[in-house]
C-alpha cells in the first residue's frame, strides 16, 4: 500500500509552540480555503500532548480532549501554542490555541491523569458497534473510513450512509505531520470531529456543521483505527446535540459529544488516500 499522506507537510516545533503547514489532505468540504476540523483538532491535540511529554510526565494518560472551532482556519500556516494551566501529582490541564494572522481560529483543552488500580463494581456501558472484519488495520488505498448504518451494517468502501438510521464510522489513522507516526491520542482527537459525519447526515447529505467536539477517555487508545457509534441525538430549531461511543478493536474506551448548526446539505467528503506527494 502507498504511504499515507498527512494533514500537514511540516511542523516547526519548540517546547510549547508549533507552526503547521497544511497539505492537500487538510482541505475541508465546507469551503475550498477552509481547513478540516479533523486537521485542526489533530494539530492542537499533538501540541498539547507534546508539551506534557516535554515535561517528562510519562505517568499521565489523556482523559479528555475538547475542541472549539469558532472561526474558519484557512489553508495556510497555522500557529498553535500550548499553556499548562495546572500540573499536579495525578493531573495536568493544558490549553492550546490556533492562530492565523494574529487572530485565534480554534482552541482546545486537554486533561491528562494518572491511572491507578481500581476494584470498582460500578455499571459501565459498551454500545460500540463491532469493527469491520479485517486482518489488521490496512485500509483500501482509496478511502479514509468505512460507514455503518443500522439495518445494513458496514457499507461498501466509499459508500455514504444517506439514510435516517443510526450510524457509525470506522476511521483509519491519518498522520498529522508528514514523516511522523501519529500517536493514538492525536488520532482519536482528530477522529472526534468526525462525529458530525454520522450525527448530522440524513437522506439529503451532511446537513449540520459542528462547532465543537469533546471526547472523554477511560484508557489510552490502542494504535490504529478508531470507531464512533451514535448513542444519542436531539434537534430543535436548527440546533443539534449528539453523542457517540468511541471504540477500537479492544472495545469501547470513551465517548464524544458535539453540537451542530443547520446548514444547506453538502455531500460527505470522501478523501482518497494518495501517496505522499500526490495532490489529488
Amino acid at each position: 500500500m502507498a504511504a499515507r499522506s498527512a494533514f500537514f507537510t511540516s511542523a516547526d516545533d519548540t517546547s510549547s509552540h508549533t507552526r503547521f503547514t497544511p497539505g492537500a489532505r487538510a482541505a475541508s468540504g465546507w469551503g475550498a480555503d477552509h481547513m478540516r476540523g479533523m486537521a485542526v483538532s489533530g494539530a492542537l491535540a499533538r501540541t498539547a500532548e507534546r508539551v506534557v511529554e516535554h515535561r517528562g510526565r510519562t505517568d499521565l494518560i489523556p482523559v479528555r480532549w475538547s475542541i472549539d472551532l469558532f472561526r474558519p482556519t484557512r489553508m495556510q500556516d497555522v500557529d498553535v501554542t500550548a499553556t499548562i494551566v495546572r500540573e499536579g501529582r495525578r493531573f495536568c490541564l493544558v490549553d492550546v490555541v490556533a492562530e492565523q494572522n494574529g487572530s485565534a481560529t480554534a482552541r482546545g483543552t486537554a486533561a491528562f491523569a494518572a491511572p491507578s488500580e481500581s476494584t470498582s463494581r460500578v455499571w459501565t456501558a459498551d454500545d460500540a458497534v463491532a469493527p469491520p472484519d479485517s486482518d489488521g488495520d490496512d485500509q483500501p488505498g482509496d478511502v479514509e473510513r468505512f460507514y455503518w448504518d443500522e439495518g445494513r451494517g458496514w457499507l461498501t468502501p466509499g459508500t455514504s450512509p444517506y439514510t435516517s438510521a443510526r450510524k457509525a464510522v470506522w476511521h483509519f489513522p491519518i498522520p498529522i505531520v508528514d514523516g511522523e507516526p501519529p500517536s493514538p491520542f492525536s488520532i482519536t482527537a482528530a477522529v472526534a470531529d468526525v462525529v458530525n459525519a454520522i450525527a448530522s447526515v440524513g437522506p439529503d447529505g451532511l446537513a449540520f456543521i459542528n462547532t465543537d467536539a469533546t471526547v472523554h477517555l477511560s484508557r489510552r487508545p490502542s494504535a490504529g483505527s478508531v470507531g464512533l457509534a451514535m448513542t444519542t441525538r436531539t434537534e430543535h430549531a436548527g440546533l443539534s446535540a449528539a453523542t457517540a461511543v468511541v471504540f477500537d478493536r479492544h472495545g469501547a474506551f470513551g465517548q464524544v459529544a458535539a453540537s451542530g448548526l443547520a446548514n444547506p446539505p453538502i455531500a460527505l467528503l470522501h478523501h482518497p488516500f494518495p501517496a505522499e506527494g500526490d495532490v489529488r
Side-chain angles (χ1 to χ4, degrees):
M1 184 182 65
R4 304 173 185 179
S5 64
F7 291 126
F8 299 96
T9 59
S10 65
D12 184 11
D13 291 307
T14 66
S15 60
S16 61
H17 171 268
T18 302
R19 171 166 288 185
F20 293 92
T21 299
R25 184 168 296 283
S28 169
W30 293 106
D33 190 40
H34 288 202
M35 197 178 294
R36 298 172 74 177
M38 285 187 72
V40 177
S41 186
L44 268 66
R46 174 189 179 276
T47 304
E49 185 175 36
R50 286 173 72 91
V51 77
V52 173
E53 291 174 348
H54 186 75
R55 298 179 75 88
R57 295 304 306 268
T58 57
D59 57 316
L60 304 178
I61 69 169
V63 294
R64 176 170 55 83
W65 170 248
S66 185
I67 180 80
D68 290 304
L69 303 162
F70 51 84
R71 182 177 287 124
T73 302
R74 304 295 179 180
M75 285 291 290
Q76 56 189 258
D77 285 0
V78 56
D79 291 298
V80 179
T81 303
T83 303
I84 292 183
V85 178
R86 171 76 169 92
E87 182 181 1
R89 183 174 61 87
R90 300 185 60 193
F91 184 80
C92 185
L93 185 66
V94 182
D95 281 352
V96 280
V97 177
E99 290 186 306
Q100 288 181 325
N101 303 315
S103 296
T105 65
R107 66 180 182 184
T109 302
F112 299 80
S116 63
E117 295 297 323
S118 172
T119 58
S120 168
R121 293 186 291 173
V122 180
W123 175 87
T124 59
D126 184 355
D127 293 324
V129 172
D133 292 336
S134 173
D135 293 330
D137 279 319
D138 290 332
Q139 79 285 352
D142 58 349
V143 294
E144 288 183 352
R145 60 186 75 152
F146 292 159
Y147 287 104
W148 174 98
D149 71 26
E150 206 160 45
R152 293 188 296 170
W154 291 106
L155 306 179
T156 303
T159 301
S160 297
Y162 293 152
T163 69
S164 297
R166 178 192 177 212
K167 300 174 181 68
V169 64
W170 182 251
H171 212 293
F172 299 104
I174 299 175
I176 307 300
V177 179
D178 272 342
E180 177 184 297
S183 73
F185 171 60
S186 65
I187 293 170
T188 303
V191 172
D193 178 74
V194 182
V195 66
N196 196 50
I198 55 173
S200 297
V201 173
D204 299 322
L206 182 58
F208 287 73
I209 186 169
N210 61 309
T211 60
D212 56 37
T214 297
V215 59
H216 290 91
L217 312 177
S218 59
R219 63 166 167 82
R220 191 182 296 277
S222 62
S225 301
V226 174
L228 307 176
M230 287 177 65
T231 49
T232 63
R233 186 181 188 275
T234 58
E235 178 189 328
H236 297 89
L239 304 176
S240 68
T243 63
V245 64
V246 186
F247 62 101
D248 56 22
R249 290 203 177 275
H250 299 285
F253 63 91
Q255 62 183 10
V256 61
S259 55
L261 305 177
N263 252 40
I266 65 170
L268 276 175
L269 195 62
H270 280 290
H271 269 282
F273 246 121
E276 292 181 6
D278 186 341
V279 295
R280 284 181 298 165

